[in-house]
């Protein structure tokens, strides 16, 4: 048998050693991603990125949590409550189609549809072409760093990417084994057609624009530092040559302040963000990121034992899982879920949406918003149980907003107090029923999400949180049903309605799922009031319903 060349043998030995030494909490592959869904995610709750891992041509697709379509808007249908009694009458009489038609005309959100989460742009890195050997890319869940290694024309290259929560930036480190052997061009490309690229006097690259038919204006800003080489901004690109290593820092911001205010300026926001990290070395940025990430991630370990299958690339492990013995892949999946929650739901950011924080489309499935007839709840079910309690906080911040917009919807649609949320919300905190009456009218979204408040208290025992945040929201959600529940004319039982059974469709009175959620909400609200020793009259009233 012909012996391999010495260089090739060294590459094979190095790859084998790397595979043997890698953390068991690593997703790794022998080829770059082609599909977006095969790229590797990093996130810090405000920015997210998907790293494709191309050797000579790298694509890092990125998002920012407030890049959405739309503008501040009250979705409630003014005067909708005038048709409520008739809709109920039709449903009690079994005239579902007539009730749905009336609801479509008189009871739905204005406008009928909510808005969509958007892509932001791409960071591309172009290196000279050459023969590639020893390629490998991976994501270490324990460090929160996605990496790429390969050899090109005898020189070893490496890229490391992470999303820093302390710095609120995405950091890309490029290095090579040959002194002065690093050369590349970095560019930004917007996901929105009306954007402008400019080189700034600071040596940074700026990409500004506005989402079409939206109040959201944005800027992405790319800064670079180089070790042992030269850098310049030319033709809308940052060019690096003759370097030993280089660090790219990507910041992104919009004019969004809150769901009613878009008066901020993204440029000063990015200037302040980059000023705060500009004098930090790469090692310092990485150390701060590791300390933050691992303070959350390392709280839980899961060992289901390991077999030789765990040494294979992740795509091969997944393909073989149904026929093989790979319990460690289950543990990897469990920790991957925790990793994605850490990356997409951090204090100060929006909650994790249907795709977390990662999205490459301006027409994403279900608008990549918040579907709270189960999906938003599912995102957050593991948070307390897997010791990521702080990751719940963005959801609770959103509930504070929803209680305000939901109070308007409760009044306009049901003549009720408290607050209500139907089966979706978006960046603008729409709470009214959307899309179609045969599924969009579902009263218990806010009630179900309120159970997360009580669960957070049960795990933390935080009485201050219970008194200041959880109980007022739970009480408001319960008070809506005190007013909105209606007696079945045949049985005399209290029902929700009009409503529907999620994923089944069809407007009805009193679906079973509603009753279970309202019963749970009432019980937990009573328990919270008792823990705080308040509202004895309300406790008695809820218990009697």
């Amino acid at each position: 048998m012909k012996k391999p060349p010495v260089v090739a043998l060294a590459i094979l030995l190095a790859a084998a050693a790397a595979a043997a030494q890698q953390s068991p909490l690593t997703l790794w592959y022998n080829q770059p991603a082609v599909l977006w869904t095969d790229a590797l995610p990093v996130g810090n709750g405000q920015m997210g990125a998907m790293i494709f891992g191309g050797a000579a041509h790298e694509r890092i697709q990125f998002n920012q949590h407030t890049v959405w379509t739309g503008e501040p808007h009250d979705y409630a249908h003014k005067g909708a409550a005038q048709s409520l009694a008739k809709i109920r009458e039709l449903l009690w009489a079994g005239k579902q189609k007539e009730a749905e038609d009336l609801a479509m005309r008189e009871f739905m959100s204005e406008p009928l549809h909510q808005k969509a989460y958007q892509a932001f742009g791409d960071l591309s890195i172009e290196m000279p072409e050459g023969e590639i050997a020893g390629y490998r890319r991976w994501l270490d869940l324990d460090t929160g760093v996605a990496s790429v290694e390969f050899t090109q024309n005898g020189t070893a290259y490496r890229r490391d990417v992470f999303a820093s929560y302390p710095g609120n930036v995405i950091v890309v480190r490029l290095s090579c084994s040959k002194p002065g052997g690093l050369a590349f061009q970095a560019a930004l490309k917007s996901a929105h057609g009306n954007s402008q690229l400019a080189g700034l006097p600071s040596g940074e690259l700026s990409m500004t624009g506005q989402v079409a038919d939206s109040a959201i204006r944005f800027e992405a800003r790319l800064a670079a530092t180089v070790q042992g080489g030269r850098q310049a901004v030319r033709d809308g690109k940052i060019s690096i040559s003759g370097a030993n290593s280089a660090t790219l820092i990507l910041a992104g911001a919009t004019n969004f302040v809150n769901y009613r205010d878009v008066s901020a300026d993204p440029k000063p926001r990015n200037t302040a963000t980059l000023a705060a990290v500009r004098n930090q070395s790469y090692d310092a940025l990485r150390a701060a990121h590791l300390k933050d990430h691992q303070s959350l991630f390392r709280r839980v370990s899961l060992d289901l034992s390991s077999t030789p299958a765990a040494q294979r690339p992740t795509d091969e492990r997944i393909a073989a899982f149904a026929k093989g013995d790979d319990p460690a892949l289950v543990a990897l999946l469990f920790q991957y879920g925790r990793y994605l929650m850490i990356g997409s739901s951090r204090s100060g950011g929006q909650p994790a949406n249907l795709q977390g924080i990662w999205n490459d489309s301006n027409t994403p499935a279900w608008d990549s918003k918040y579907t709270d007839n189960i999906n938003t709840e599912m995102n957050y079910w593991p948070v307390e149980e897997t010791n990521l309690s702080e990751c719940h906080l963005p959801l609770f911040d959103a509930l504070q907003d929803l209680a305000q917009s939901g109070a308007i919807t409760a009044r306009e649609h049901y003549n009720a107090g408290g607050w209500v949320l139907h089966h979706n919300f978006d960046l603008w905190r729409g709470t009214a029923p959307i899309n179609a009456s045969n599924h969009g009218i579902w009263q218990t979204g806010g009630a179900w999400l309120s159970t997360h408040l009580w669960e957070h208290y049960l795990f933390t025992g935080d009485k201050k949180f219970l008194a200041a945040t959880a109980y007022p929201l739970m009480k408001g959600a319960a008070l809506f049903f005190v007013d909105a529940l209606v007696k079945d004319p045949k049985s005399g039982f209290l029902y929700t309605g009009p409503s529907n059974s999620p994923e089944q469709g069809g407007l009805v009175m009193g679906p079973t799922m509603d009753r279970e959620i309202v019963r749970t909400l009432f019980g937990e609200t009573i328990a919270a009031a008792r823990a705080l020793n308040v509202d004895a009259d309300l406790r008695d009233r809820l218990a009697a319903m």
Side-chain angles (χ1 to χ4, degrees):
M1 184 173 66
K2 184 179 180 181
K3 293 183 179 180
V6 174
V7 172
L9 181 60
I11 292 170
L12 290 171
L13 291 173
Q21 295 172 7
Q22 75 178 15
S23 162
L25 297 176
T26 301
L27 288 72
W28 69 279
Y29 307 86
N30 285 324
Q31 66 285 324
V34 176
L35 301 176
W36 181 83
T37 48
D38 293 334
L40 293 172
V42 297
N44 61 20
Q46 295 197 31
M47 294 193 72
M50 297 288 282
I51 299 97
F52 282 67
H57 310 284
E58 173 66 286
R59 178 190 178 194
I60 299 175
Q61 186 272 323
F62 61 91
N63 294 93
Q64 202 270 357
H65 64 143
T66 60
V67 179
W68 285 67
T69 59
E71 60 187 356
H73 182 75
D74 176 12
Y75 287 91
H77 188 135
K78 301 298 185 288
Q82 295 175 15
S83 64
L84 180 60
K86 183 61 176 179
I87 293 170
R88 287 170 171 167
E89 178 186 326
L90 291 168
L91 290 173
W92 291 130
K95 298 179 179 180
Q96 185 185 61
K97 180 65 166 58
E98 292 92 329
E100 290 176 351
D101 289 346
L102 175 58
M104 280 300 294
R105 293 193 304 270
E106 304 292 343
F107 203 76
M108 303 304 291
S109 170
E110 293 182 330
L112 187 59
H113 302 286
Q114 290 177 359
K115 301 306 179 180
Y117 184 49
Q118 301 284 279
F120 196 163
D122 288 358
L123 165 60
S124 63
I125 299 173
E126 302 292 330
M127 296 178 60
E129 297 278 359
E131 185 176 349
I132 303 298
Y135 178 91
R136 188 167 172 268
R137 68 182 174 104
W138 68 96
L139 170 63
D140 187 336
L141 303 182
D142 181 56
T143 63
V145 179
S147 303
V148 180
E149 281 187 343
F150 57 91
T151 298
Q152 183 183 65
N153 300 329
T155 300
Y157 293 90
R158 175 164 174 154
R159 288 194 293 269
D160 295 293
V161 186
F162 60 86
S164 168
Y165 177 71
N168 191 25
V169 291
I170 293 171
V171 179
V172 184
R173 175 72 163 182
L174 303 97
S175 58
C176 69
S177 62
K178 179 182 177 182
L182 183 65
F184 65 90
Q185 290 186 326
L188 296 174
K189 178 182 178 182
S190 176
H192 304 275
N194 59 350
S195 301
Q196 297 84 40
L197 285 170
L200 304 181
S202 61
E204 298 163 355
L205 193 62
S206 170
M207 181 182 77
T208 58
Q210 184 165 352
V211 178
D213 299 320
S214 173
I216 292 296
R217 295 180 291 105
F218 58 78
E219 186 202 41
R221 189 89 64 84
L222 184 65
T225 58
V226 61
Q227 292 75 44
R230 297 171 299 281
Q231 69 181 86
V233 177
R234 293 192 299 268
D235 301 323
K237 299 178 181 180
I238 295 178
S239 297
I240 305 291
S241 60
N244 303 325
S245 62
T247 303
L248 302 177
I249 299 178
L250 177 65
T254 74
N255 59 328
F256 181 88
V257 178
N258 59 53
Y259 78 102
R260 294 179 294 193
D261 183 353
V262 289
S263 64
D265 187 339
K267 292 182 179 180
R269 286 178 158 184
N270 282 333
T271 297
T273 295
L274 290 173
V277 300
R278 180 172 291 110
N279 294 326
Q280 297 183 43
S281 68
Y282 170 76
D283 289 341
L285 289 169
R286 182 184 172 104
H289 160 72
L290 288 177
K291 181 179 179 181
D292 168 74
H293 175 75
Q294 291 176 343
S295 71
L296 295 169
F297 187 80
R298 286 187 171 182
R299 292 174 181 175
V300 172
S301 61
L302 177 63
D303 185 353
L304 300 178
S305 78
S306 185
T307 65
Q311 301 303 312
R312 301 172 68 180
T314 304
D315 51 343
E316 294 181 15
R317 293 174 70 182
I318 293 171
F321 183 76
K323 298 179 180 179
D325 179 18
D326 191 0
L329 186 61
V330 178
L332 181 64
L333 178 62
F334 167 80
Q335 293 287 25
Y336 190 41
R338 295 181 70 247
Y339 170 86
L340 294 174
M341 177 53 65
I342 294 169
S344 59
S345 187
R346 298 297 299 274
S347 182
Q350 296 296 314
N353 62 46
L354 276 175
Q355 295 175 191
I357 198 171
W358 301 277
N359 170 40
D360 69 331
S361 172
N362 289 339
T363 56
W366 296 282
D367 297 326
S368 192
K369 52 184 183 294
Y370 302 93
T371 303
D372 50 77
N373 68 2
I374 193 168
N375 302 96
T376 305
E377 291 84 357
M378 289 174 68
N379 276 352
Y380 284 92
W381 281 343
V383 170
E384 303 294 341
E385 287 83 350
T386 68
N387 210 353
L388 294 175
S389 192
E390 297 92 328
C391 293
H392 237 150
L393 298 181
L395 179 63
F396 301 154
D397 289 342
L399 290 181
Q400 299 272 25
D401 294 342
L402 292 165
Q404 297 175 34
S405 60
I408 299 172
T409 300
R411 182 178 67 249
E412 294 291 346
H413 287 250
Y414 299 94
N415 279 327
W419 65 279
V420 64
L421 167 64
H422 292 81
H423 91 299
N424 267 103
F425 69 93
D426 59 4
L427 183 71
W428 312 110
R429 304 309 188 234
T431 55
I434 65 166
N435 297 346
S437 60
N438 65 357
H439 68 271
I441 303 175
W442 181 68
Q443 301 176 10
T444 44
W448 201 3
L449 287 175
S450 292
T451 66
H452 286 252
L453 297 158
W454 179 244
E455 184 177 27
H456 183 74
Y457 169 70
L458 291 179
F459 273 84
T460 64
D462 186 346
K463 278 278 184 76
K464 182 178 179 181
F465 166 80
L466 184 65
T469 301
Y471 180 66
L473 290 169
M474 296 167 68
K475 178 180 177 180
L479 286 174
F480 167 77
F481 292 101
V482 169
D483 289 345
L485 289 175
V486 61
K487 282 188 178 182
D488 177 354
K490 294 181 179 179
S491 69
F493 291 135
L494 292 172
Y495 277 13
T496 58
S499 191
N500 72 88
S501 183
E503 307 303 325
Q504 299 300 313
L507 201 59
V508 298
M509 295 297 294
T512 300
M513 184 171 174
D514 280 13
R515 282 177 274 173
E516 290 300 315
I517 291 172
V518 173
R519 185 186 301 273
T520 299
L521 173 66
F522 281 6
E524 293 178 352
T525 303
I526 291 168
R530 186 177 294 119
L532 296 171
N533 195 27
V534 297
D535 291 336
D537 291 345
L538 178 61
R539 283 183 260 158
D540 293 342
R541 188 175 184 185
L542 295 180
M545 294 184 75

